[in-house]
């Protein structure tokens, strides 16, 4: 298993790196850190840029030491990270929950926004003050959002492969994210796509029966994660090619914005060869 961590000039990058190292310790995964430095603006002295690089390298060395390979790139923040990650093809890309436009960070429109729009492989967003992972002797718990669509089935299949490698317990939650979320069949007893969602959930490794919370999908996922002391929330996305896809993207954003634990996002785009 290969983990790639995007590292910027933020405490959030440190949190993401610490979380990734703990996951690598559990799984024996190879760990690589990508430090992307924004090209220096004309008014920034070269000495300051060199100082920023040294400070970043020292932080990475303090947190990961010899456990991680370090690659330093120069480019436009997250765009350069995405280019490199697509080229390397890690099992997971990990970033902090960046929303800053600070010089030298992953900023811009926000790392998550760019990843959601452009990255085609699974990635994890680690929030500030994310709780530490349990000891390797304890099983991880992952809450998985399932909506029953074909696109979601592809994403959940990706999530299933990853959770299998993590030997995690999976808890599927029915999370319809379109305006059909309150639409029932002519018997008035089943939510749209619920049968399909149950079939998809049953294919998750070690999955429990699909749960259908009686609340909005974000709240249902987060409440379940809290009750079950979950270590990770996992969801799929469908991009922005249609009106309903927009709602799916909004769901992902709200979940990442409000989740106190890391969020695994699995896009439905086919992986590039």
């Amino acid at each position: 298993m290969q983990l790639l961590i995007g590292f910027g000039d933020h405490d959030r990058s440190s949190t993401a790196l610490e979380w990734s190292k703990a996951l690598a310790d559990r799984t024996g995964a190879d760990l690589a850190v990508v430090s992307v430095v924004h090209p220096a603006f004309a008014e920034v002295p070269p000495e300051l840029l060199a100082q920023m690089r040294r400070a970043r390298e020292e932080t990475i060395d303090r947190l990961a030491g010899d456990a991680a390979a370090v690659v330093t790139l120069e480019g436009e923040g997250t765009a350069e990270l995405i280019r490199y990650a697509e080229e390397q093809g890690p099992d997971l890309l990990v970033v902090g929950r960046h929303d800053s436009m600070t010089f030298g960070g992953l900023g811009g429109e926000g790392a998550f926004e760019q990843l959601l729009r452009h990255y085609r492989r699974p990635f994890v967003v680690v929030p500030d003050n994310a709780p530490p992972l349990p000891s390797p002797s304890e099983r991880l718990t992952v809450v998985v959002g399932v909506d029953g669509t074909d696109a979601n089935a592809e994403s959940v299949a990706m999530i299933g492969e990853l959770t299998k490698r993590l030997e995690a317990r999976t808890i599927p939650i029915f999370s319809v994210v379109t305006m059909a979320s309150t639409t029932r069949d002519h018997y008035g007893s089943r939510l749209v796509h619920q049968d399909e969602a149950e079939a998809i959930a049953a294919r998750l490794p070690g999955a429990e029966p699909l749960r259908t919370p009686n609340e909005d999908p974000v709240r249902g996922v987060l409440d379940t994660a809290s009750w079950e002391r979950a270590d990770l929330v996992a969801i799929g996305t469908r991009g922005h090619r249609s009106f309903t896809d927009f709602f799916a993207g909004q769901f992902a954003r709200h979940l990442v914005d409000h989740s106190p634990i890391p969020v695994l996002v699995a896009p439905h785009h086919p992986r590039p060869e």
Side-chain angles (χ1 to χ4, degrees):
M1 189 170 183
Q2 295 180 322
L3 302 179
L4 188 66
I5 300 91
F7 200 90
D9 287 325
H10 305 286
D11 291 340
R12 296 162 184 171
S13 289
S14 298
T15 303
L17 178 52
E18 290 178 301
W19 185 88
S20 300
K21 185 176 184 301
L23 187 64
D25 289 342
R26 292 182 63 96
T27 61
D30 295 326
L31 196 64
V33 180
V34 177
S35 173
V36 183
V37 180
H38 195 286
F41 297 112
E43 66 271 19
V44 177
E47 297 79 11
L48 176 58
L49 183 62
Q51 180 181 350
M52 290 172 58
R53 289 190 178 189
R54 284 195 302 272
R56 188 182 296 195
E57 290 167 1
E58 289 171 1
T59 301
I60 294 171
D61 184 66
R62 174 174 56 83
L63 295 174
D66 296 334
V70 181
V71 177
T72 300
L73 305 174
E74 186 171 302
E76 297 292 335
T78 307
E80 183 65 17
L81 174 65
I82 290 173
R83 182 202 64 76
Y84 183 81
E86 290 281 12
E87 181 182 283
Q88 298 299 312
D91 295 288
L92 274 180
L93 172 64
V94 184
V95 298
R97 188 159 60 191
H98 296 287
D99 56 10
S100 172
M101 296 180 68
T102 302
F103 173 75
L106 291 177
E109 63 178 317
F112 173 71
E113 280 291 330
Q114 293 186 56
L115 288 165
L116 182 65
R117 292 176 181 273
H118 306 297
Y119 191 55
R120 295 177 176 270
R121 297 176 183 273
F123 64 93
V124 174
V125 182
V126 180
D128 304 346
N129 302 315
L133 290 173
S135 68
S137 62
E138 298 179 71
R139 196 177 187 189
L140 296 180
T141 297
V142 182
V143 172
V144 183
V146 182
D147 69 19
T149 62
D150 290 340
N152 182 247
E154 181 180 317
S155 295
V156 172
M158 281 190 207
I159 293 167
E161 286 298 315
L162 287 168
T163 55
K164 184 177 180 180
R165 298 172 81 172
L166 296 174
E167 298 182 347
R169 168 195 179 207
T170 55
I171 303 175
I173 299 295
F174 187 53
S175 301
V176 175
V177 295
T178 72
M179 289 186 297
S181 60
T182 58
T183 303
R184 297 178 181 271
D185 65 16
H186 61 283
Y187 294 109
S189 60
R190 303 287 283 181
L191 289 167
V192 168
H193 298 309
Q194 186 167 344
D195 290 331
E196 293 88 344
E198 289 176 352
I200 292 168
R203 295 196 288 270
L204 284 166
E208 299 181 1
L210 182 74
R211 302 185 189 182
T212 307
N214 186 27
E215 51 190 329
D216 74 85
V218 172
R219 188 77 269 147
V221 168
L222 294 181
D223 284 349
T224 302
S226 176
W227 296 331
E228 298 292 341
R229 299 176 183 264
D231 304 291
L232 196 66
V233 167
I235 55 170
T237 66
R238 287 182 275 165
H240 301 285
R241 286 185 295 278
S242 72
F243 188 63
T244 55
D245 289 347
F246 171 78
F247 280 94
Q250 290 293 92
F251 170 71
R253 289 188 193 90
H254 285 307
L255 194 57
V256 167
D257 284 345
H258 295 96
S259 176
I261 62 175
V263 178
L264 165 62
V265 181
H268 81 283
H269 311 289
R271 294 187 180 193
E273 297 296 334

